[in-house]
Amino acid sequence: MSSLQTLESEEVDLNASLHGNWTLENAKARLNQFFQKEKTSAEYKYSQVGPDHNRSFIAEMQLVVRQLGRKVTAREHGSTKKLAAQSCSLSLVRQLFHLQVLEAFSGPPRRGEGQPLEVFEVQVPADLQQQLVGVVQALGVLVPPAPADPSQPVSLVQGKLASFEPAPRQSGAGVVPWSPPQVNWNPWTSSNIDEGPLAFCTAEQISRDLQEELLLQQEHDLNLQKAHAVVLVRGPTGCGKTTQVPQYLLDSFIRGGRASDCNIVVTQPRRISAVSVAERVSFERGEEVGRSCGYSTDFLMVVLRDVVQAYPQVRVLLMSATIDTSMFRDYFFNAPVVEVVGRTFSVQGTRPP
Ligand SMILES: Nc1ncnc2c1ncn2[C@@H]1O[C@H](COP(=O)(O)OP(=O)(O)OP(=O)(O)O)[C@@H](O)[C@H]1O
Ligand SMILES: [Mg+2]
């Protein structure tokens, strides 16, 4: 992309209407007005990022908002100093708008509003394309096929939008400033949430949706567990099979007033991991090892298939990141499978020179 196209793409803002129609073009002037009226001021603090041939800028500003009795901060990135400062003032003005310190923008709509964006060709080298395909596959993203009629839009969102990964944006000094929960504000990244549906939801809606989702999922999984002697759980490594699932079952018995009916035995392939899992789970429950959770290392994986047939009240959960579900399914009389979604991120190793 040429630098002009980079600039233009930075100025594209399809979400301005969510944020009181404040944009890169009108926010800086409003912020200056605010300073004049409040008889205060604040400076942009600039820093440079990136190598010489690809230099870009960060502008930061913190201002005291008398009406709120607290500070509001923004830290934004741009390909030029000017754009970084504009983005920073935009972030502040949008925050002040959402905090009801500033009104919505009432001037004439920005140039080009409502017009379709120009299409421009992007040349992606073949090896980069290959890498992108690899990433898309590794993330398990379903890419819908291109539409027969290219003028028809196709949603890239396949299936239900259920979980939101936190954006891995870095906060300056590695310190997240405290801020109370606010609609449309991501405190981890100190920026507005621009993408729906979170950008439109009230805090109450978000809480209710999360609660409903959790209750539905728990009900579904617990019903499976009650109805079947053997359930297979497959989920990526680190998703919480070992440390979370047993607690989740125990908690459901505790809530049902039947905790003493529940004995959960967790097996691990090694003694050391059995000990550390027990320590971890006890820590999470705020207890000493040996209270509601302990370990015994002489437990043998007896012939489970016979056990579940001999003792109908025994329930077996087979949990693995790499389980061949069809094979186990057949072995355990068509046991149902619960797939758990994980949140693991690939780690790249580098060797010091
Ligand atoms: N002792 C610990 N201290 C801190 N975090 C821990 C500890 N043990 C586990 N965790 C974290 O808890 C999460 C869930 O771990 P858990 O062992 O339950 O995953 P798992 O699904 O059983 O993974 P695997 O397939 O590797 O067995 C992981 O993200 C892990 O990093
Ligand atoms: Mg495990």
Side-chain angles (χ1 to χ4, degrees):
M1 266 200 279
S2 73
S3 54
L4 180 66
Q5 282 170 334
T6 310
L7 277 181
E8 280 174 354
S9 70
E10 276 180 286
E11 283 170 2
V12 171
D13 182 354
L14 302 171
N15 295 301
S17 61
L18 294 177
H19 310 297
N21 287 317
W22 292 110
T23 65
L24 282 178
E25 283 142 40
N26 58 30
K28 213 170 170 191
R30 184 64 188 89
L31 190 64
N32 289 337
Q33 249 180 36
F34 174 79
F35 284 145
Q36 275 172 15
K37 183 157 171 277
E38 292 294 314
K39 300 193 173 51
T40 119
S41 74
E43 294 291 315
Y44 293 99
K45 217 174 83 198
Y46 293 103
S47 45
Q48 298 189 357
V49 284
D52 283 348
H53 63 276
N54 192 18
R55 178 82 62 231
S56 59
F57 299 86
I58 286 175
E60 277 177 78
M61 186 184 273
Q62 190 168 68
L63 52 100
V64 180
V65 185
R66 181 183 46 83
Q67 294 87 331
L68 304 172
R70 73 169 178 94
K71 290 177 183 162
V72 171
T73 316
R75 182 175 192 277
E76 293 293 329
H77 184 250
S79 61
T80 64
K81 254 181 155 172
K82 184 175 164 216
L83 268 168
Q86 279 182 323
S87 295
C88 180
S89 52
L90 177 58
S91 172
L92 289 168
V93 168
R94 286 181 171 182
Q95 286 180 62
L96 293 175
F97 165 73
H98 290 295
L99 291 164
Q100 292 165 12
V101 175
L102 293 185
E103 70 298 327
F105 177 67
S106 57
R110 54 188 265 148
R111 109 192 107 74
E113 185 86 74
Q115 285 171 13
L117 298 173
E118 281 293 315
V119 172
F120 56 81
E121 292 280 322
V122 181
Q123 302 291 336
V124 183
D127 59 332
L128 184 55
Q129 283 189 29
Q130 216 36 56
Q131 280 182 30
L132 287 172
V133 170
V135 170
V136 165
Q137 276 171 356
L139 293 174
V141 176
L142 291 175
V143 181
D149 174 1
S151 69
Q152 288 305 304
V154 172
S155 171
L156 293 176
V157 180
Q158 300 282 300
K160 188 173 166 275
L161 269 185
S163 55
F164 306 97
E165 298 291 335
R169 205 191 301 178
Q170 284 169 3
S171 145
V175 176
V176 179
W178 181 85
S179 82
Q182 271 173 53
V183 173
N184 208 287
W185 180 245
N186 182 341
W188 298 108
T189 57
S190 294
S191 63
N192 289 112
I193 299 168
D194 269 352
E195 273 141 41
L198 278 186
F200 308 93
C201 291
T202 62
E204 289 74 20
Q205 279 171 325
I206 294 173
S207 305
R208 203 168 46 238
D209 284 1
L210 288 172
Q211 190 183 30
E212 277 169 14
E213 202 176 289
L214 183 74
L215 291 179
L216 275 177
Q217 181 67 35
Q218 291 194 349
E219 205 177 281
H220 173 76
D221 295 351
L222 290 173
N223 284 343
L224 272 182
Q225 246 267 307
K226 274 185 213 140
H228 298 267
V230 181
V231 174
L232 310 180
V233 176
R234 181 166 63 186
T237 190
C239 75
K241 297 180 296 297
T242 306
T243 55
Q244 304 309 308
V245 173
Q247 295 197 68
Y248 159 35
L249 293 169
L250 174 61
D251 290 341
S252 86
F253 275 84
I254 294 175
R255 273 197 301 273
R258 293 174 46 226
S260 61
D261 289 354
C262 167
N263 266 311
I264 303 174
V265 181
V266 181
T267 68
Q268 283 292 101
R270 311 240 181 286
R271 183 180 193 276
I272 176 111
S273 52
V275 175
S276 76
V277 163
E279 282 170 352
R280 173 66 187 171
V281 172
S282 301
F283 171 79
E284 287 184 13
R285 301 187 77 80
E287 293 172 358
E288 297 285 319
V289 176
R291 228 183 89 76
S292 63
C293 170
Y295 58 88
S296 149
T297 56
D298 54 7
F299 181 76
L300 274 179
M301 271 275 268
V302 270
V303 195
L304 284 175
R305 200 156 87 143
D306 297 342
V307 171
V308 294
Q309 280 174 301
Y311 302 94
Q313 69 276 35
V314 170
R315 293 287 177 269
V316 176
L317 271 180
L318 280 169
M319 307 195 283
S320 162
T322 51
I323 200 167
D324 174 352
T325 44
S326 53
M327 191 179 88
F328 278 95
R329 223 193 144 107
D330 292 346
Y331 185 71
F332 283 111
F333 335 105
N334 220 6
V337 179
V338 176
E339 293 275 353
V340 186
V341 205
R343 286 162 179 252
T344 46
F345 300 93
S346 61
V347 176
Q348 224 168 32
T350 49
R351 218 180 261 276

